Amino acid sequence: MATKSKGKKKAPIKAPGRKPAPRKGRFSIEGKRANGKNAGHDLQHEVEQLLYRQAELLDSQQWQAWIDLFTDDGVYWMPPEPSHKTWEGMPAIFAEDRNLMTVRMKRVLHPDAWSQRPLWGTNHVVSNTQIKKVNPNGDIEVKSRFHMMELRRDDVRHFAGSYTHHFRKTKDGYRIKLQRVDMTNAQAAFDYVLQVWV
């Protein structure tokens, strides 16, 4: 008759290459939650939704709501070429704070605004969103690509390039501290100037 061996129980054998599963609510070394979502997934989603909302506000001509996406000291800047590092003392296609944005909005909405009398509209597509930098205070820098089609009567114009956004974290969510627009065709010849923001 076999007898039971006495002594300490042996530890269970671990399969090679297996790692213990992270506990609920914790992050593993790879930066993933227990449910498999990437740690930065929520931030990426929030940023993309903000960019999509901006495009929707521009295309639906909700100018004031779009301006309200900016911080009080926010700036919309479109340099004539990518080598420019500042708008101060330099030529710019756009270099507007909220006050200048409001002036442009009122001019566009004026009943006698010639640029708005014919059939006119825009359509934005935003993609290739990358979070480039996350600061300790929660502010982030984001790079993305855009394409905008503008219709005016029978004329169609296309603008494309990249956005660089500096988003500031506030109690109401992220707001735009700086929006830099580098248009690929910024140096192209156009029949008439841009009336609104790209």
Side-chain angles (χ1 to χ4, degrees):
M1 181 181 290
T3 57
K4 294 182 180 179
S5 59
K6 296 181 179 180
K8 296 182 179 179
K9 293 182 179 179
K10 292 183 179 180
I13 299 174
K14 295 181 180 179
R18 294 287 298 273
K19 296 179 181 179
R23 288 186 290 175
K24 189 176 181 181
R26 299 289 184 92
F27 291 91
S28 68
I29 296 173
E30 290 80 6
K32 295 182 178 180
R33 291 197 184 100
N35 60 9
K37 292 171 67 178
N38 288 330
H41 175 81
D42 290 342
L43 180 58
Q44 177 77 19
H45 179 74
E46 184 176 359
V47 166
E48 289 175 351
Q49 291 302 308
L50 181 53
L51 292 176
Y52 299 157
R53 173 166 170 73
Q54 172 183 254
E56 179 65 24
L57 292 175
L58 288 172
D59 291 338
S60 58
Q61 302 177 24
Q62 298 182 60
W63 312 122
Q64 187 59 60
W66 178 77
I67 293 173
D68 289 341
L69 293 178
F70 286 77
T71 61
D72 291 340
D73 58 349
V75 173
Y76 180 95
W77 178 37
M78 183 188 292
E81 57 177 278
S83 64
H84 287 209
K85 303 300 181 185
T86 180
W87 59 86
E88 295 181 357
M90 300 291 289
I93 302 172
F94 283 82
E96 299 182 352
D97 58 13
R98 287 188 56 145
N99 288 332
L100 286 175
M101 292 180 209
T102 302
V103 170
R104 181 180 294 274
M105 175 186 69
K106 290 180 178 180
R107 185 173 72 241
V108 169
L109 292 177
H110 194 278
D112 295 330
W114 66 269
S115 64
Q116 305 304 300
R117 285 185 176 180
L119 178 64
W120 178 86
T122 62
N123 188 77
H124 286 75
V125 176
V126 184
S127 66
N128 298 36
T129 305
Q130 301 177 66
I131 298 175
K132 307 297 288 187
K133 186 177 181 181
V134 180
N135 295 322
N137 63 356
D139 294 356
I140 55 178
E141 180 180 337
V142 177
K143 190 82 175 282
S144 60
R145 296 281 178 178
F146 73 88
H147 181 229
M148 185 191 91
M149 182 276 288
E150 179 190 61
L151 171 69
R152 185 171 182 267
R153 285 184 175 168
D154 295 327
D155 295 330
V156 175
R157 300 195 296 180
H158 295 273
F159 305 94
S162 65
Y163 290 139
T164 301
H165 282 91
H166 291 190
F167 290 120
R168 178 181 292 168
K169 191 170 186 178
T170 72
K171 60 181 179 62
D172 298 319
Y174 283 104
R175 292 293 180 267
I176 304 170
K177 163 67 175 173
L178 171 65
Q179 177 168 341
R180 174 175 175 149
V181 183
D182 287 291
M183 280 208 312
T184 304
N185 53 338
Q187 297 293 332
F190 299 110
D191 292 335
Y192 49 93
V193 298
L194 286 164
Q195 299 298 309
V196 295
W197 307 274
V198 174

